[in-house]
Amino acid sequence: MLLRTKGYLTVFLSLTITMIMSLILALYSGARIGAVKMKTECVADIAMNSVLAEYSRELYRQYGLLMVDTSYGTGSHSITNTEEHLRKYAQKNFEPSTVGRLTGTSTMMRAFCKDARITGSSFATDNDGAVLNRQILAYMSAEPAEGMLTDVDDNIGKLKDAGLDTTDVDEMARENQEEIDSLELPTKINEDGEEEEVSLGNPADAVNSQRGIGVLSLAAGGIDISRAAADLSNYASNRTVNKGTGLRDYEEISASEKLLIDEYLCEKCGRYSGELEKSLLKYQLEYLIFGQNSDYRNLEKMAQTLFFWRQASNWVYMLGCSSKQSKADAVASALTAVLMAPEFKDPVKWSIIFAWVFAESVSDVNILLEGGRVPLFKSDSTWQLGLGEMLLFRENLGRKDCGEGLYYKDYLRMKLGMTDLKDKTKRLMDIIEMDVRRTAGNGEFMIDHCLDTFCGELTVGTGFGYEVKIERVYGYEE
């Protein structure tokens, strides 16, 4: 009986031990699978952050932007380069420790990186530069620029409300001259007894005849202007750019954010009288606005803009200044031809006024280029040229200041704010490429191959026949 009982216990213990061992082994296997999954997540975090840590140092140093140059300075631009870096970091984190390699031991997981791929991406130029602008706004989020931005916005509003950006004074002057030319001059008998036309003798003709000369040539005088130029065909705005997969490439830009982007541009880019040594084109803000291939042409465009605004503003002032109109009227009335043909009087008077406005506007542009101030709207105290000085206006340039008003940089900010955001963003990409390429090891830098966000997929194998796959999205704002 005793022997039979012992036999029962032996069978029972055998069955129990078998069940316990099965449970232990199942728990061990589950723990190993869980450990592999946890290890995979840790490795994915380390590997993907390591990829982001390889951001372009020059892009960050010059522009404060965090992006990975997928060429890594090699000139071979491809997302597969970044995939290889991701794979390398993942494999490195699955390798045994130094002690493990020396002793030949391994962990319970026996895991390894089977594959690493990048399945989604966003680059700086995606969606017309929306990715680039998102990073700019993140960079500018700590900037206390509200007061300055409000001033710029207010000045733009005043300029537009007064019609200074739409009033073409040159066209009005041409129409007035056409009216004068259509009139028939009176005649007189000369000393030889022959009939001849009386000379109009309009003193404004000497001034109005210079309208065909470029305003920069008239106003710049002896100012030193940069002659730097660039072959724009080599830059992002003039080539088919690389595109990502649509990962985080959308950004809704508000009106206040557009002003914040403009503040960033003013902070990072050079301009006339505020050039940066690092830059290829010295007048970078002017390039963002006009997109010409040389500093001279961009400054010329800005000078033409200033002249257009100043003529419109000075015209508004002149229409409200009865004393200056009376002086022009008196000069017109004294002309011989007008005495003989009164129909010439009003057109000649306005011709003198147009010439006066023209000369004053050239003087304004000269003052701005020389570093002085010119108010958006003139008053009697800030008007520069008298009637006599107007007739010889080129000899009366060089006045340093109106005593109050806006500087060149203030007018430039206004024009920058009135320029389409897509155009500015596209040209900023060119500026970034121009400057980064001037640094060591970045001669073939391309902004459209700069990675902002990516989706990485890791496949981890084990020595036990199963694998783990994980997919994560990583970026500089994730």
Side-chain angles (χ1 to χ4, degrees):
M1 186 69 178
L2 180 61
L3 291 175
R4 184 179 300 174
T5 302
K6 288 182 178 180
Y8 290 150
L9 289 173
T10 302
V11 172
F12 176 76
L13 288 173
S14 298
L15 293 173
T16 302
I17 290 172
T18 301
M19 293 174 63
I20 291 172
M21 286 300 297
S22 297
L23 177 61
I24 291 172
L25 290 174
L27 291 172
Y28 179 82
S29 179
R32 183 169 56 203
I33 293 172
V36 171
K37 289 181 178 179
M38 184 178 70
K39 176 72 172 179
T40 301
E41 290 185 0
C42 291
V43 168
D45 183 67
I46 294 169
M48 293 182 188
N49 277 313
S50 296
V51 167
L52 294 177
E54 295 183 297
Y55 58 86
S56 169
R57 297 306 189 260
E58 278 300 325
L59 184 60
Y60 179 75
R61 184 181 69 83
Q62 294 191 41
Y63 291 94
L65 303 175
L66 289 166
M67 296 185 187
V68 177
D69 174 9
T70 57
S71 77
Y72 298 91
T74 65
S76 174
H77 302 85
S78 175
I79 192 65
T80 58
N81 296 329
T82 306
E83 267 189 343
E84 187 55 39
H85 281 236
L86 177 64
R87 186 176 297 110
K88 178 188 72 174
Y89 288 125
Q91 290 171 342
K92 193 73 175 175
N93 281 280
F94 278 114
E95 290 178 359
S97 65
T98 302
V99 174
R101 288 196 298 272
L102 291 175
T103 60
T105 59
S106 62
T107 65
M108 62 179 281
M109 292 179 288
R110 290 166 57 187
F112 59 93
C113 179
K114 188 174 183 180
D115 193 18
R117 297 190 304 121
I118 292 178
T119 58
S121 58
S122 70
F123 294 93
T125 55
D126 286 357
N127 194 14
D128 296 320
V131 174
L132 177 61
N133 283 330
R134 173 165 48 75
Q135 279 226 13
I136 289 173
L137 290 172
Y139 173 86
M140 293 297 292
S141 60
E143 290 286 327
E146 290 80 3
M148 184 177 296
L149 297 177
T150 301
D151 289 343
V152 175
D153 204 27
D154 287 347
N155 287 332
I156 292 174
K158 292 175 183 177
L159 182 142
K160 289 186 173 181
D161 290 344
L164 304 190
D165 60 329
T166 56
T167 303
D168 191 342
V169 178
D170 271 343
E171 179 60 28
M172 290 189 286
R174 278 192 293 271
E175 292 174 356
N176 186 73
Q177 187 60 47
E178 288 174 0
E179 182 179 354
I180 293 174
D181 294 340
S182 68
L183 297 174
E184 187 176 344
L185 287 167
T187 59
K188 67 177 182 178
I189 304 300
N190 62 22
E191 295 177 354
D192 298 327
E194 298 175 345
E195 186 178 43
E196 63 178 17
E197 284 188 340
V198 176
S199 173
L200 182 57
N202 185 359
D205 286 346
V207 176
N208 286 324
S209 65
Q210 298 187 60
R211 290 182 180 275
I213 301 175
V215 64
L216 186 58
S217 298
L218 288 172
I223 295 173
D224 185 26
I225 298 175
S226 168
R227 297 292 173 171
D231 181 358
L232 299 183
S233 65
N234 293 326
Y235 299 101
S237 67
N238 288 279
R239 68 169 183 264
T240 301
V241 295
N242 174 57
K243 293 183 179 180
T245 61
L247 189 66
R248 298 198 69 224
D249 67 348
Y250 178 75
E251 185 75 12
E252 187 71 35
I253 306 293
S254 67
S256 60
E257 287 175 331
K258 288 180 181 179
L259 291 173
L260 203 59
I261 290 173
D262 284 349
E263 185 64 22
Y264 171 87
L265 299 177
C266 292
E267 177 184 319
K268 297 298 182 181
C269 297
R271 56 173 173 81
Y272 171 77
S273 74
E275 300 85 353
L276 300 177
E277 184 62 32
K278 70 178 179 67
S279 61
L280 173 61
L281 290 180
K282 300 303 180 183
Y283 307 155
Q284 295 177 319
L285 290 180
E286 288 85 348
Y287 174 75
L288 295 180
I289 297 168
F290 299 107
Q292 301 297 304
N293 68 344
S294 70
D295 281 336
Y296 187 90
R297 292 181 66 186
N298 285 310
L299 185 60
E300 183 179 47
K301 289 284 188 181
M302 188 61 203
Q304 290 168 357
T305 299
L306 290 173
F307 180 72
F308 189 96
W309 290 350
R310 293 309 316 148
Q311 273 211 120
S313 177
N314 291 333
W315 173 252
V316 171
Y317 165 82
M318 189 64 80
L319 291 179
C321 184
S322 58
S323 62
K324 287 183 174 61
Q325 289 190 40
S326 296
K327 291 178 182 179
D329 185 87
V331 172
S333 299
L335 298 179
T336 302
V338 172
L339 292 173
M340 298 176 65
E343 64 271 19
F344 277 90
K345 179 184 174 183
D346 281 345
V348 170
K349 168 192 168 182
W350 288 111
S351 176
I352 293 170
I353 290 175
F354 281 124
W356 206 345
V357 168
F358 172 85
E360 181 75 8
S361 301
V362 172
S363 175
D364 290 345
V365 176
N366 172 261
I367 290 171
L368 291 170
L369 294 178
E370 292 278 8
R373 294 169 295 173
V374 175
L376 197 55
F377 301 101
K378 286 285 185 72
S379 63
D380 291 343
S381 62
T382 54
W383 190 269
Q384 296 295 296
L385 301 178
L387 181 57
E389 293 172 319
M390 174 270 287
L391 299 175
L392 298 171
F393 75 96
R394 298 186 72 170
E395 297 177 14
N396 288 283
L397 299 179
R399 305 181 182 217
K400 300 300 182 183
D401 204 279
C402 288
E404 61 183 76
L406 306 175
Y407 290 100
Y408 172 84
K409 64 180 181 181
D410 300 315
Y411 283 96
L412 187 64
R413 281 176 179 267
M414 291 163 62
K415 184 60 178 175
L416 186 68
M418 297 166 69
T419 303
D420 182 73
L421 178 61
K422 286 186 179 180
D423 290 337
K424 289 183 289 191
T425 303
K426 177 178 65 176
R427 294 164 187 161
L428 175 63
M429 297 171 192
D430 295 348
I431 292 294
I432 292 174
E433 288 188 343
M434 290 177 193
D435 291 353
V436 174
R437 287 180 188 179
R438 287 164 61 85
T439 61
N442 293 293
E444 296 183 63
F445 175 85
M446 291 185 175
I447 188 68
D448 53 317
H449 286 275
C450 285
L451 184 68
D452 167 78
T453 305
F454 71 98
C455 180
E457 182 184 89
L458 292 186
T459 303
V460 175
T462 67
F464 304 97
Y466 60 83
E467 62 182 37
V468 175
K469 185 177 290 187
I470 188 171
E471 187 176 68
R472 292 284 187 273
V473 175
Y474 276 70
Y476 291 103
E477 296 176 54
E478 291 295 320

